[in-house]
Amino acid sequence: MDGLGQNSDNGLLVTHVNQTQDLLRLQGSKTQSSDWEDAEDWLSAHSLKCQKLTLADLISQGTAVLEEGTNVVQKIRFSTQIIRHFESKLSDTIELYQQRIQWLTENSKKAFGLIKGARVSVLIDVSSVSSGPQKEEFQKDLMSLIDEQLSHKEKLFVLSFGTTTRSLWPDPTEVSASTLRELKLWVKTLQPAGGSNLLQALKKIFTLKGLDSLVAILRSCPDQPSEILSDYIQQSTMGRDLNVHFITYKCDDQMPPAVLKNLAEAISGYYHCYSPKMELYTSRDVDELLAEIQKAQSLLGHMQALQHSSPCEGLTCTMEEISTEIAKGPLVSLLPKPPKHDAPLTIEFPNLDKTSAEWLKVNGLKAKKLGLYQVLAPNAFSPVEEFVPILQKTVSSTIHEKAMIQFEWHDGTVKNVHVDLPFLYDYQKQLSRTMRMYERRIEWLSLASRRIWGTVCEKRVVILLDISATNSMYIIHIQHSLRLLLEEQLSNKDYFNLIAFGSTIESWRPEMVPMSHDNLQSAWRWVLNLRCQGSRNVLSALRKAVEVDFKDKDKHQSQGIYLFTGGIPDQDMPTLSAYMAEACGGCDLQLNVCLFYVGEPKMDTTPPACYASHTDTATAYWEVTRAAGGRFHWFGDTGIYESDDINSIMSEMEKALNYSQKSVNDDPDREKSLPLKSLKWRPLSSRAGISPAAAQPVKEGMMERRRKTRSREAETSLSLFYTETGNNVGSVYKKYPQGRGVRRTSSSMDLPRKDTVCSSQEWVAKYGLKKLKLEISRCLGPNCTHQKSGQRSASARHCSIFPSIEIHGVVRHIQWTPREMEVYIRCVEKVLRRYVQRLQWLLSGSRRLFGTVLENRVCILLDTSGSMDPYLQQVKTELVLLIWEQLRKHCDSFNLLSFAEGLQWWQDTLVETTDAACHEAMQWVTHMQAQGSTSILQALMKAFSFHDLEGLYLLTDGKPDTSCSLVLNEVQRLREKRDVKVHTISLNCSDRAAAEFLRKLASFTGGRYHCPVGEDTLSKIHNLLTKGFIDEKDPTLPPFEGDDLRRLAQEITKARSFLSQAQSFRSQLQKKNEAEPKVTLS
């Protein structure tokens, strides 16, 4: 009211009463504009996800309980307050959705739905419009639609269609009170017009511009087929942002609703149908709301169960559904975090670190002049040979055995070395101090961020982070690892950048940026927002680093890429190696790999296309770093498995230990009787003693003759001559004694780093104890009869020099020194560890069930008889793993064949091993079912018909339906034409008859028999496999049934026996040394 007591003019008052009422109604409708929002916009603003009411949001408010000894989430705990608060919000949201649905089913929205868009074209089907009450009801509903919805639009275009079309305006018209009145009058004039030519109406609409919504109201099926209409609409709307809305208005027939709904779904449009008579109501908007209500009610049911049941029961029953949410994306808030994980960095300024190779250039034995040959060089003299004219021959110098010894030099020559004991002892003390320094260096390398990353030494650094989906449960560990690096090692760099990679690449900065405190903090905030997804696209990440961050790599020095990853990349390793070798060639750029091991991936029926065991992965990345001139670092939750930096120091320590043992004997007072026995020496005469080389046992008479012959050959030959002064006679050595070389066990054996694909028989033939010359019999001398009889024996004099031991009633001498025995023990322990590693490899992955696939062209025969039903699911899972782990990697072609009463084969012939073929084979495997009998013979005959076949792998749990001898005879006949090996796999080793048949079939064809190791056996030997069978008290291996496992287990048992005997011999040698009297030099 103004001062005159009259209403103020708000701009809406006009002279005509009807116009005023219309405008006031429009103004009032704006108060509820949020209700008239587009359905998608409303739902996106009020969805469960937007309101943080999903299962993932509930989980984020709980506390994760990890399974003991692992990083696997076992349970999640919630407080009662969280459950009740979450339940209350869910109930309110469900009520909101129900109110929305009620609103959508009121007035014009009930008959026509919610009209979307601001510039709308309306097509009205008048083919079924008739006179009477139905026409009046239709016109009334259209009037309601105009008043409630169309009046809110910006522009309108209306068109009626039957056999022909009739539009109200030639072009879209802006909405106003006059246009709305004109539209209402036009609606009252609608008359039936024959058919329903929707296509003609659409052609008219699509010639118009500026529209964003098309609404078609129909009561009958259009004249044109849905396929024609669908194709035409899709072609006409291509490149246009146009919503298409089909409405079936109160149609009593079931056909139009079904036809128009399919048409709307085909073009991704909206659909609305309401039929009061049939009580049919369908709307996409309502369906989406009902789906949200269903999700909310399902989650609400879980909340109520958690509230009314014990915490453990409620949590356990929910974890199965929670696992699906965890698989969709990483729930970082669930995972345990270190203290102040999200806090800003506490940045340190480190010293300029060096790689171990650079550090050893200053602190190595050679740099400190502590090499044994450097120390002995001033007192080492080469033997002198001069021509004596009077004798007309060359005379060699000799030495005094108490003053000098002969020592083999690093170049293979022999030097006469003067032994200065105080000097050598001082040298050994310097080596001890150096060893302690090396130990401190290794300890330093194993602490803080260096345990994870090694030493980051370069001045320009790019970090590549693996955030693939397989690392979802370890994202906190990845973030914490990077936090340590940012705080401790990067602050003294010049430039840096971070690149995260999964299937796609995400970079913190487009290019490297200068190092600063603000940049480090910014990088850490970026890292906190990383989420794991996709595969492991390592090559794209490397290309981004090389071609963008290091685009001018030729102009700078000290540049490094650090690849932090947990698995095998998507690309082939040779491709990565070739690319990095070319990228790093000719410039100061290195690729360093930091591999973290989190356990073998659990394989299901859909394994990744790229899979490798942890040892294969480490070997592959090690080869890449060698190609790129970088360093390799491999760590896990139990410590550092391998590090180039630590290996360099360890190598130097082994060299120092070797020098120390060579330089001075442990007991200096024994120098007179056995001078510098740790050195590789040569006896100076036949009285210098017998070389501690091992001799093979032979008959006593033969040993006596051989020893006498060697003694005569070893006697010194002198040549006499007259000197120039007087009648004095001189002498020179004409022949030096040729002592027996010391037989030593080399500590650097050629053992394979990577497990090769071959049978255990072949592997042991290459790397067995006999091949490596590590039989314990090599340390034993001849039989000793001196202690048993009074007869004279050539072995008698050994008893006072070498310890003896009784073996199988025969006394034998131990003819190795303690040093040689120590080297032998270390070698056997090293070999034993490698054998255990091979055994672990045979028991891992698909090799546990199928053994090792050796041939290049193979066929897998699978028993799917009724008795296989308990094993079939496991066989399917392991077979999928076999396809990707062995067949894809090592085979050229393969085929699969299942047999029961009949045969089912995947392909008619062997198929080339490709990713596509493996995926198809994997799908075929999932459809296998167990039923029927076991027709092994029929399967073998079909498999032998495959061209170029080299090997068959037959997996079954029992004997064939036919006679076993019949099968063997038929296979013999087939092998006369085709040399194919049949490898057999038994799933039921307790059936001795079946196992014996399979063993004979494999042996008969040159194949191998395999029987998988059970879970109970694996659990029993788990600790043994982890420790490595080094302790003498460790239990023995179980008796394996399979050929490969049994042969390797035999070699392991033999190695353990040799190791135990060698340790016993070492104790006897030590006791003998302690019992010998001390000799004092005067």
Side-chain angles (χ1 to χ4, degrees):
M1 302 287 290
D2 57 12
L4 298 176
Q6 299 176 345
N7 290 330
S8 60
D9 185 358
N10 58 3
L12 295 176
L13 299 180
V14 293
T15 57
H16 199 284
V17 177
N18 291 335
Q19 292 180 358
T20 302
Q21 291 176 350
D22 291 339
L23 292 174
L24 286 174
R25 185 179 66 252
L26 291 173
Q27 184 191 34
S29 66
K30 295 180 181 178
T31 59
Q32 297 179 348
S33 59
S34 63
D35 291 337
W36 290 95
E37 287 180 357
D38 185 280
E40 290 185 352
D41 295 338
W42 188 93
L43 190 59
S44 63
H46 299 84
S47 65
L48 295 177
K49 184 176 182 180
C50 181
Q51 298 184 75
K52 297 184 178 181
L53 292 176
T54 62
L55 180 60
D57 296 309
L58 172 64
I59 295 172
S60 65
Q61 300 181 39
T63 302
V65 180
L66 301 182
E67 186 177 348
E68 184 177 357
T70 68
N71 292 326
V72 179
V73 178
Q74 185 181 29
K75 295 181 180 180
I76 301 176
R77 295 178 179 172
F78 302 92
S79 65
T80 305
Q81 182 179 2
I82 290 177
I83 297 296
R84 290 178 177 175
H85 179 67
F86 206 89
E87 181 182 1
S88 175
K89 292 179 66 177
L90 276 176
S91 300
D92 294 341
T93 303
I94 292 174
E95 184 178 355
L96 177 64
Y97 290 158
Q98 291 173 343
Q99 293 175 358
R100 176 74 175 179
I101 291 176
Q102 183 179 359
W103 180 80
L104 287 173
T105 56
E106 293 177 348
N107 304 323
S108 66
K109 298 183 292 295
K110 185 175 185 178
F112 300 102
L114 187 61
I115 306 301
K116 301 166 180 60
R119 301 177 297 279
V120 182
S121 61
V122 182
L123 307 182
I124 302 174
D125 177 15
V126 293
S127 61
S128 301
V129 175
S130 60
S131 60
Q134 290 184 353
K135 178 180 178 181
E136 293 178 358
E137 184 182 6
F138 180 51
Q139 291 174 347
K140 181 181 178 181
D141 288 339
L142 286 176
M143 295 295 183
S144 176
L145 175 65
I146 294 170
D147 289 337
E148 292 183 9
Q149 299 194 57
L150 298 184
S151 61
H152 293 273
K153 308 303 180 183
E154 297 177 3
K155 288 185 177 182
L156 288 175
F157 181 85
V158 292
L159 180 146
S160 64
F161 66 95
T163 305
T164 60
T165 62
R166 183 172 70 93
S167 61
L168 175 58
W169 305 293
D171 297 304
T173 304
E174 293 185 1
V175 175
S176 65
S178 59
T179 55
L180 293 177
R181 283 197 309 272
E182 188 177 358
L183 176 57
K184 290 178 180 180
L185 292 173
W186 181 81
V187 167
K188 293 180 180 180
T189 64
L190 292 177
Q191 297 296 329
S196 179
N197 194 348
L198 178 59
L199 182 60
Q200 186 178 359
L202 292 174
K203 290 181 178 180
K204 175 64 176 176
I205 293 297
F206 289 140
T207 60
L208 303 176
K209 297 182 179 180
L211 299 175
D212 60 5
S213 181
L214 168 62
V215 179
I217 303 173
L218 299 97
R219 297 190 67 176
S220 63
C221 292
D223 296 342
Q224 295 78 22
S226 298
E227 294 80 4
I228 295 177
L229 294 174
S230 174
D231 293 341
Y232 178 72
I233 294 173
Q234 291 181 15
Q235 294 175 11
S236 301
T237 57
M238 187 175 297
R240 298 177 62 177
D241 187 11
L242 184 68
N243 292 318
V244 181
H245 192 170
F246 285 101
I247 300 170
T248 304
Y249 175 77
K250 296 182 179 180
C251 182
D252 296 335
D253 189 5
Q254 295 182 0
M255 184 61 69
V259 172
L260 294 176
K261 183 177 181 181
N262 291 336
L263 178 59
E265 292 176 351
I267 63 175
S268 301
Y270 294 88
Y271 174 73
H272 182 87
C273 173
Y274 173 64
S275 177
K277 185 176 181 180
M278 300 174 59
E279 297 182 355
L280 177 65
Y281 185 91
T282 306
S283 171
R284 175 174 164 180
D285 296 336
V286 175
D287 290 344
E288 290 176 348
L289 286 171
L290 291 174
E292 286 292 298
I293 290 176
Q294 186 177 3
K295 292 180 184 178
Q297 289 176 340
S298 175
L299 187 54
L300 187 60
H302 289 305
M303 297 301 96
Q304 293 171 349
L306 287 172
Q307 186 175 2
H308 296 99
S309 64
S310 62
C312 294
E313 294 176 357
L315 291 174
T316 304
C317 69
T318 310
M319 281 307 299
E320 295 182 358
E321 298 190 12
I322 288 176
S323 62
T324 61
E325 292 291 331
I326 292 177
K328 293 178 182 177
L331 304 177
V332 180
S333 57
L334 272 180
L335 304 174
K337 298 180 180 179
K340 299 181 180 180
H341 178 73
D342 300 329
L345 300 176
T346 305
I347 299 174
E348 305 173 3
F349 192 84
N351 296 324
L352 185 60
D353 296 331
K354 297 180 180 180
T355 65
S356 291
E358 295 174 342
W359 186 82
L360 288 174
K361 292 179 180 179
V362 179
N363 299 281
L365 296 176
K366 186 176 181 179
K368 291 183 172 294
K369 298 183 179 180
L370 290 178
L372 180 61
Y373 302 105
Q374 292 174 293
V375 171
L376 296 180
N379 296 322
F381 307 94
S382 300
V384 178
E385 291 186 350
E386 292 184 358
F387 181 77
V388 179
I390 193 172
L391 298 176
Q392 294 296 311
K393 62 177 64 175
T394 301
V395 178
S396 300
S397 62
T398 185
I399 60 173
H400 194 281
E401 62 182 20
K402 294 184 178 181
M404 306 182 79
I405 65 170
Q406 289 185 317
F407 184 73
E408 186 175 340
W409 213 243
H410 58 81
D411 57 359
T413 61
V414 177
K415 300 283 187 179
N416 299 326
V417 179
H418 172 68
V419 180
D420 186 351
L421 294 182
F423 176 75
L424 289 181
Y425 292 152
D426 182 65
Y427 167 65
Q428 195 174 42
K429 291 179 182 179
Q430 294 183 53
L431 288 178
S432 299
R433 288 192 294 268
T434 305
M435 290 278 285
R436 288 194 292 270
M437 179 180 65
Y438 292 158
E439 291 171 354
R440 290 193 299 269
R441 172 75 179 182
I442 292 178
E443 182 180 1
W444 180 79
L445 289 172
S446 305
L447 296 177
S449 63
R450 293 175 296 274
R451 175 182 179 272
I452 302 171
W453 298 87
T455 53
V456 179
C457 310
E458 296 81 3
K459 301 299 292 182
R460 295 162 56 88
V461 175
V462 173
I463 309 296
L464 308 185
L465 294 174
D466 178 2
I467 57 169
S468 57
T470 54
N471 295 331
S472 299
M473 296 304 297
Y474 308 98
I475 183 62
I476 298 298
H477 299 273
I478 295 173
Q479 291 173 343
H480 183 67
S481 300
L482 190 63
R483 179 187 178 97
L484 293 177
L485 179 69
L486 294 173
E487 288 181 337
E488 299 177 4
Q489 296 200 58
L490 286 192
S491 58
N492 62 349
K493 311 306 176 190
D494 294 340
Y495 288 83
F496 80 107
N497 197 5
L498 307 180
I499 299 175
F501 64 91
S503 296
T504 58
I505 307 303
E506 183 180 356
S507 179
W508 169 59
R509 290 289 186 266
E511 296 182 4
M512 283 194 295
V513 297
M515 184 64 62
S516 68
H517 184 278
D518 293 339
N519 282 338
L520 287 174
Q521 298 290 357
S522 174
W524 173 239
R525 290 191 296 270
W526 176 79
V527 170
L528 287 175
N529 295 321
L530 291 178
R531 296 294 179 266
C532 295
Q533 56 184 352
S535 56
R536 192 175 283 111
N537 193 351
V538 175
L539 182 58
S540 294
L542 290 173
R543 291 193 61 182
K544 196 279 174 186
V546 171
E547 299 172 17
V548 178
D549 293 277
F550 293 110
K551 59 184 177 182
D552 53 351
K553 59 182 181 295
D554 298 335
K555 302 178 182 179
H556 299 277
Q557 301 292 324
S558 187
Q559 304 170 105
I561 299 174
Y562 285 79
L563 173 60
F564 189 78
T565 183
I568 204 73
D570 296 344
Q571 297 80 17
D572 293 334
M573 298 307 295
T575 303
L576 290 182
S577 298
Y579 175 76
M580 290 310 302
E582 182 179 357
C584 298
C587 62
D588 189 7
L589 174 65
Q590 293 84 32
L591 170 64
N592 308 292
V593 174
C594 305
L595 177 64
F596 58 91
Y597 171 59
V598 292
E600 291 284 3
K602 295 183 178 180
M603 306 299 295
D604 54 16
T605 56
T606 56
C610 296
Y611 166 79
S613 65
H614 63 280
T615 52
D616 291 342
T617 302
T619 302
Y621 278 117
W622 181 84
E623 293 173 352
V624 172
T625 57
R626 291 300 172 270
R631 290 167 290 139
F632 177 70
H633 186 85
W634 181 22
F635 74 98
D637 52 358
T638 58
I640 299 174
Y641 301 130
E642 186 169 352
S643 170
D644 286 347
D645 280 334
I646 293 180
N647 287 345
S648 298
I649 305 298
M650 291 293 295
S651 177
E652 200 73 4
M653 290 180 68
E654 290 179 1
K655 190 186 298 183
L657 181 62
N658 185 31
Y659 288 166
S660 177
Q661 292 171 340
K662 280 186 175 183
S663 61
V664 179
N665 185 34
D666 295 334
D667 187 357
D669 293 333
R670 300 185 62 201
E671 289 297 327
K672 181 176 181 179
S673 60
L674 202 61
L676 293 178
K677 69 171 183 177
S678 292
L679 296 176
K680 195 167 185 178
W681 56 279
R682 297 178 180 230
L684 300 178
S685 69
S686 59
R687 297 182 299 275
I690 297 177
S691 169
Q696 296 294 334
V698 292
K699 295 181 178 180
E700 283 300 317
M702 181 65 69
M703 285 298 301
E704 176 71 15
R705 288 192 296 271
R706 288 182 179 179
R707 190 157 37 248
K708 288 181 178 180
T709 302
R710 286 197 299 269
S711 179
R712 287 194 299 268
E713 292 177 350
E715 292 178 357
T716 305
S717 177
L718 294 178
S719 177
L720 302 178
F721 60 91
Y722 288 98
T723 63
E724 295 181 354
T725 58
N727 294 326
N728 296 328
V729 178
S731 64
V732 296
Y733 286 104
K734 183 179 179 181
K735 182 178 180 182
Y736 281 97
Q738 299 296 324
R740 295 175 58 194
V742 179
R743 182 183 301 171
R744 298 181 182 273
T745 303
S746 174
S747 59
S748 57
M749 292 167 296
D750 186 17
L751 293 176
R753 177 185 178 88
K754 183 178 179 181
D755 284 295
T756 54
V757 178
C758 63
S759 65
S760 290
Q761 188 70 29
E762 296 171 341
W763 197 85
V764 170
K766 292 180 180 179
Y767 309 108
L769 296 171
K770 184 176 181 180
K771 181 67 175 179
L772 297 176
K773 299 181 180 180
L774 288 178
E775 301 100 324
I776 191 64
S777 59
R778 291 175 174 268
C779 76
L780 299 176
N783 297 347
C784 179
T785 59
H786 178 265
Q787 298 185 16
K788 288 191 174 183
S789 64
Q791 64 181 0
R792 186 175 181 272
S793 172
S795 301
R797 65 172 183 163
H798 286 74
C799 298
S800 60
I801 302 176
F802 300 109
S804 59
I805 185 171
E806 184 172 341
I807 300 178
H808 302 303
V810 179
V811 177
R812 303 283 296 277
H813 289 291
I814 304 173
Q815 297 204 50
W816 277 1
T817 63
R819 162 63 184 156
E820 290 172 320
M821 191 64 70
E822 191 68 37
V823 172
Y824 174 80
I825 291 175
R826 286 205 303 268
C827 290
V828 175
E829 289 177 347
K830 180 179 179 180
V831 171
L832 191 55
R833 284 191 293 268
R834 185 62 186 88
Y835 289 170
V836 172
Q837 182 183 343
R838 176 75 179 184
L839 182 61
Q840 291 173 333
W841 183 76
L842 291 176
L843 292 173
S844 65
S846 60
R847 289 175 294 274
R848 176 184 167 188
L849 180 64
F850 290 94
T852 308
V853 177
L854 306 181
E855 295 80 12
N856 292 326
R857 293 179 286 275
V858 300
C859 179
I860 311 298
L861 306 182
L862 303 164
D863 181 1
T864 55
S865 60
S867 60
M868 282 288 294
D869 188 62
Y871 315 105
L872 190 59
Q873 188 56 45
Q874 178 193 2
V875 170
K876 287 182 179 181
T877 303
E878 296 293 336
L879 181 57
V880 170
L881 183 56
L882 172 75
I883 292 172
W884 292 104
E885 185 184 20
Q886 296 198 62
L887 302 185
R888 179 67 183 93
K889 286 185 177 181
H890 308 302
C891 295
D892 297 334
S893 58
F894 74 104
N895 199 357
L896 306 177
L897 189 150
S898 65
F899 60 92
E901 291 181 355
L903 303 180
Q904 290 184 352
W905 49 87
W906 170 52
Q907 300 290 345
D908 295 331
T909 60
L910 298 183
V911 177
E912 183 181 357
T913 309
T914 62
D915 287 345
C918 291
H919 279 290
E920 291 180 9
M922 183 177 66
Q923 295 300 323
W924 183 83
V925 167
T926 58
H927 294 92
M928 291 193 308
Q929 295 181 351
Q931 58 183 355
S933 55
T934 310
S935 55
I936 291 180
L937 180 56
Q938 188 179 359
L940 289 171
M941 294 178 66
K942 175 62 179 177
F944 266 89
S945 67
F946 293 142
H947 185 61
D948 289 338
L949 183 68
E950 296 178 353
L952 287 175
Y953 289 79
L954 171 65
L955 183 144
T956 182
D957 68 333
K959 295 187 297 182
D961 295 342
T962 56
S963 168
C964 294
S965 59
L966 176 62
V967 174
L968 294 175
N969 293 334
E970 188 63 25
V971 170
Q972 180 180 9
R973 185 185 65 81
L974 293 173
R975 289 193 78 246
E976 292 176 356
K977 303 177 182 178
R978 303 279 304 280
D979 185 14
V980 176
K981 294 182 179 179
V982 180
H983 307 274
T984 56
I985 302 142
S986 174
L987 291 180
N988 187 10
C989 298
S990 59
D991 187 349
R992 304 313 302 175
E996 186 62 26
F997 161 71
L998 294 175
R999 196 186 299 275
K1000 287 182 179 179
L1001 179 60
S1003 176
F1004 183 72
T1005 60
R1008 293 161 298 136
Y1009 171 73
H1010 180 73
C1011 184
V1013 179
E1015 293 290 344
D1016 295 340
T1017 305
L1018 278 180
S1019 61
K1020 291 179 181 178
I1021 65 175
H1022 174 73
N1023 292 333
L1024 298 179
L1025 294 176
T1026 305
K1027 289 173 57 179
F1029 301 93
I1030 298 301
D1031 194 343
E1032 185 178 355
K1033 298 180 181 179
D1034 288 335
T1036 59
L1037 284 171
F1040 293 115
E1041 294 284 343
D1043 293 343
D1044 280 344
L1045 294 175
R1046 187 178 68 254
R1047 181 66 186 89
L1048 185 59
Q1050 290 173 353
E1051 201 69 10
I1052 291 176
T1053 302
K1054 186 189 296 184
R1056 293 184 66 187
S1057 173
F1058 288 175
L1059 179 61
S1060 176
Q1061 293 181 56
Q1063 291 170 343
S1064 175
F1065 294 167
R1066 179 179 60 183
S1067 300
Q1068 293 191 40
L1069 290 174
Q1070 291 174 349
K1071 290 179 181 179
K1072 180 172 179 61
N1073 290 342
E1074 292 173 358
E1076 287 184 358
K1078 304 295 182 180
V1079 180
T1080 304
L1081 294 175
S1082 56

